[in-house]
Amino acid sequence: MRKRDPWLAAPLGAGLAAALLTGCGAEGSDSAGGGDRVVMGMSDDVQATDPASGYDPGSWLLFNNVFQSLMSFPKGGSSPQPEAAEKCGFGSNDSTVYTCTLRDGLKFSNGNPLTSKDVKFSFERTLRINDENGPAVMLAGIKSIETPDEKTVTFKLRTPDATFPQKIASGAGSIVDHTEYAADKLRTDNKAVGSGPYKLDSFDEDEATFSVNGDYQGPAGEAQNSGVTLKFFHGKQAELKSAVTDGDVDVAYRGLAMKDLAEIQNASAGSSSSEVKVVEGNGAEVQHLVFNLKHPVAGKLGVRQAIAHLVDRGSLVRDAYNRTVEPLYSIVPAGITGHNTAFYDKYGDQPNREKAKAALDSAGINGKVKLTLWGTPTRYGPGALTGLKLIAKQLNSSGLFEVDVRSADLEAYAKGMEKGTYGVYLVGWVPDYPDPDNFVLPFFGKENVLKNHFSSAAIDRLIPATAAQPSRTATITDFEKIQNVVAEQVPMLPLWQGKQYAVASSEVNGLQWTLDASTVFRFWEVKKGS
């Protein structure tokens, strides 16, 4: 994620690998939660409180707690379960028809009933507004929506899409009250009315406050706290670190600097009486180098393959990221269905100058290859430029390249990508949903967002075939073929896969149930005190 371009993914943040358990617990609890209020700090901003606009990690954190979707991801799981719906499924003879039946007794936090009318209104509203910073792109496959009664919603899709349940389980599927939101314009009062486990009580530039929604009906268990205060640090990583180590916030989530994470982790590991702890787990955030195939240098296959032979991911992970990330050898990360190690298999994990030289010779290149690597610290943080400089050093030390590193602010970076100014540039991606499709379609589908002019007839055939396959395990062979094509043609070079981290007071528990590959941060699982 997020926004409409994957390179807008925010810096690495949060989490602990959760055991593969499905969500469970009391449904429709009248309790307003138990335990103390939790104060959380985050360097990301929340760009929107209206689900028709927000398509960034901070906004989706708010949506996942304040709004319900028809489906949701259970803690530790990647297969969606019914949320506002009692059941959902494709038609037995038509995989372009998806029908959901709502739970009984659903209510918004203002007391209004939630019916199929609200569901239809919410999806059509997002598509109609089509905000440039919103998730309408994820819902573009919807042809029409029918509501034969107050509890039934039927989606008719333009083409078969087995990932549709995952798409509507994300923030893009948030359901709003049709009486509270205009059908054709965004809400601008920083308020939100949903039916999720929490209510948004206040929101301003520096913090948002949430209380437990006692009328919630769904699979989330009883809230383990009485509310959450979310403080925004606006990218100020040092201030976020000080806030959690000084006890001003109970949890620091997303955006701590890599060196600060490593420092806190080392300090807490060496002390049984540490007041803060680092919670670590698996994640699906990734970063790649992207090559512009129309660039006079980066557009040559031999140049791209030579770079693939020379980049040392192990050194990058150790020296630039303090081992807070892991080497990535394919476009689909480990832990996601269909992952393979296509780049490891073809290029190995150690620099090989001889093979790199052979690749350049095959392209008819004599002398040093001159290139510039582009990045933006505005979104990726200073660690990204450190990583790019290390890659440049690796390439230059081979004697085959003369590479420098340049950066641009976010707006200029976006324009440079759009215009094709850059030959090699950094992108990042935080998934919208944990399926291999979400690591392939945005980058290699028709009208992909990388702006790198790569196309493949084989991939163009395989993408719709995987989308039409209801059994995701049955797509493994096709996704492996896609990954192998990418490794051969090198339109992008996978660099690393993020772990997830949170830094928390020793009094805080439950983070292991809030941070997993679904990227859903579940307020209701976090508890402060015994």
Side-chain angles (χ1 to χ4, degrees), residues 1-2 54-64 138 170-172 432:
M1 159 192 319
R2 286 315 210 268
Y55 198 11
D56 59 277
S59 297
W60 279 29
L61 180 146
L62 185 151
F63 301 160
N64 287 327
M138 290 184 63
S170 73
D432 300 305

Side-chain angles (χ1 to χ4, degrees), residues 79 161-163 166 337-338 433-438 463 465-477 479:
S79 297
D161 183 4
T163 68
Q166 300 200 40
T337 300
Y433 49 92
D435 186 275
D437 176 83
N438 201 225
I463 286 178
T466 59
Q469 176 53 255
S471 169
R472 302 318 284 160
T473 56
T475 66
I476 289 175
T477 298
F479 276 116

Side-chain angles (χ1 to χ4, degrees), residues 286-290 328 330-331 425-427 443 492-495:
V286 295
Q287 274 198 5
H288 310 284
L289 280 183
V290 174
L328 179 62
S330 193
I331 57 172
Y425 48 97
L426 191 70
V427 301
F443 301 125
M492 63 161 53
L493 182 69
L495 296 176

Side-chain angles (χ1 to χ4, degrees), residues 80-362:
Q81 65 180 358
E83 171 64 37
E86 181 181 87
K87 60 180 180 180
C88 288
F90 285 104
S92 57
N93 298 315
D94 190 350
S95 57
T96 64
V97 177
Y98 190 75
T99 299
C100 294
T101 303
L102 296 178
R103 294 175 181 271
D104 290 327
L106 292 173
K107 290 193 295 185
F108 290 103
S109 59
N110 61 6
N112 290 345
L114 189 162
T115 70
S116 60
K117 181 176 182 178
D118 297 294
V119 178
K120 176 180 170 71
F121 172 85
S122 299
F123 283 92
E124 291 182 343
R125 175 177 182 266
T126 296
L127 289 167
R128 183 182 299 110
I129 292 174
N130 194 26
D131 184 68
E132 65 178 0
N133 296 319
V137 64
M138 290 184 63
L139 308 177
I142 297 174
K143 182 179 181 180
S144 63
I145 305 173
E146 297 178 356
T147 54
D149 57 55
E150 288 192 346
K151 289 187 60 179
T152 306
V153 184
T154 297
F155 297 90
K156 294 187 176 180
L157 308 180
R158 301 181 191 280
T159 58
D161 183 4
T163 68
F164 186 69
Q166 300 200 40
K167 290 174 180 175
I168 65 172
S170 73
S174 298
I175 303 168
V176 302
D177 182 347
H178 75 277
T179 69
E180 289 274 356
Y181 291 78
D184 57 357
K185 61 182 179 180
L186 296 174
R187 186 166 188 160
T188 58
D189 60 1
N190 288 335
K191 294 182 180 180
V193 178
S195 57
Y198 284 75
K199 298 182 290 185
L200 179 65
D201 296 326
S202 66
F203 180 92
D204 60 34
E205 182 179 354
D206 295 320
E207 75 173 33
T209 61
F210 304 83
S211 59
V212 176
N213 178 12
D215 290 328
Y216 167 76
Q217 296 280 344
E222 180 180 346
Q224 298 300 301
N225 55 69
S226 56
V228 172
T229 298
L230 180 59
K231 294 182 177 293
F232 307 125
F233 285 79
H234 310 298
K236 298 174 182 177
Q237 297 172 317
E239 290 185 15
L240 179 58
K241 176 194 175 185
S242 295
V244 71
T245 55
D246 293 345
D248 295 329
V249 302
D250 303 310
V251 180
Y253 171 65
R254 292 199 61 83
L256 282 172
M258 304 295 183
K259 62 180 180 62
D260 291 337
L261 279 170
E263 178 183 318
I264 295 170
Q265 194 166 33
N266 291 336
S268 61
S271 173
S272 59
S273 60
S274 176
E275 294 183 356
V276 295
K277 58 186 176 183
V278 177
V279 187
E280 174 185 333
N282 296 327
E285 180 175 349
V286 295
Q287 274 198 5
H288 310 284
L289 280 183
V290 174
F291 300 97
N292 179 356
L293 271 67
K294 286 192 174 181
H295 189 270
V297 180
K300 296 181 178 181
L301 177 59
V303 171
R304 303 195 302 273
Q305 291 182 332
I307 292 173
H309 279 300
L310 292 174
V311 169
D312 183 350
R313 295 171 180 80
S315 175
L316 179 70
V317 164
R318 181 189 68 239
D319 299 336
Y321 292 97
N322 294 286
R323 293 190 173 90
T324 57
V325 298
E326 298 174 331
L328 179 62
Y329 293 96
S330 193
I331 57 172
V332 177
I336 301 296
T337 300
H339 162 77
N340 73 2
T341 54
F343 278 82
Y344 178 93
D345 299 340
K346 185 169 179 61
Y347 304 100
D349 67 342
Q350 295 296 317
N352 191 316
R353 185 186 185 281
E354 182 177 333
K355 290 185 177 180
K357 180 66 166 61
L360 293 177
D361 289 343
S362 71

